[in-house]
Amino acid sequence: MATYALDPGAPDPSYLTFWRERHLCTLTTPRPDGSPHVVPVGVTYDPEARLARVITNRTSAKVANVLAAGPEGARVAVCQVAGRRWATLEGLAFVRTERERVTEAERRYAERYERRPAPNPNRVVIEIRLTGAMGRG
């Protein structure tokens, strides 16, 4: 079973289909000491915009880790696995608080996970500007 790298803005059909299925994912962010912080999340993938999105609470550790990386963004990865299929997206993460960005992330989450997220006035979105992708969809 070979692995392969691909352009996150132009995934092959099987890779994109895999990202549209309902799967729990992980987000890996760097802690200020450089160690990895890995947590389960829901992720949406928008290859046209070259973005992955994670909705979360503004007080979460993952948000703190991204913010601690500074204005250049945090190098992060999101990953999902199902049996022998797996996919990883890599890029620079930024915390977005703008209502329109959060609303768009919620809409995409509801589409992928087939349920609207509960209202949360403290919700933000971690947007990941994708620089790489790999896996076997």
Side-chain angles (χ1 to χ4, degrees):
M1 188 164 175
T3 61
Y4 57 91
L6 53 95
D7 177 352
D12 66 50
S14 65
Y15 192 82
L16 186 55
T17 296
F18 186 41
W19 275 105
R20 289 185 173 150
E21 296 170 3
R22 188 175 191 264
H23 294 289
L24 185 61
C25 304
T26 60
L27 168 66
T28 303
T29 58
R31 291 184 180 106
D33 70 2
S35 64
H37 177 256
V38 184
V39 294
V41 293
V43 176
T44 62
Y45 174 30
D46 180 357
E48 294 81 22
R50 295 181 74 91
L51 287 177
R53 295 174 178 92
V54 175
I55 58 174
T56 189
N57 196 305
R58 75 178 65 242
T59 61
S60 70
K62 55 190 158 293
V63 166
N65 290 341
V66 171
L67 292 174
E72 293 80 32
R75 295 206 53 79
V76 304
V78 290
C79 184
Q80 67 181 21
V81 63
R84 299 182 75 144
R85 298 181 304 157
W86 64 276
T88 300
L89 298 169
E90 301 172 338
L92 291 172
F94 301 89
V95 176
R96 302 296 188 205
T97 60
E98 301 92 336
R99 184 73 242 157
E100 65 277 0
R101 289 181 184 260
V102 174
T103 299
E104 177 64 8
E106 291 170 333
R107 182 191 70 75
R108 289 175 178 273
Y109 178 95
E111 184 178 284
R112 180 173 189 199
Y113 292 97
E114 300 174 348
R115 69 175 191 83
R116 297 231 32 98
N120 179 353
N122 292 316
R123 180 168 291 129
V124 297
V125 59
I126 296 174
E127 287 186 350
I128 304 164
R129 287 189 207 151
L130 299 175
T131 58
M134 60 183 163
R136 184 172 178 89

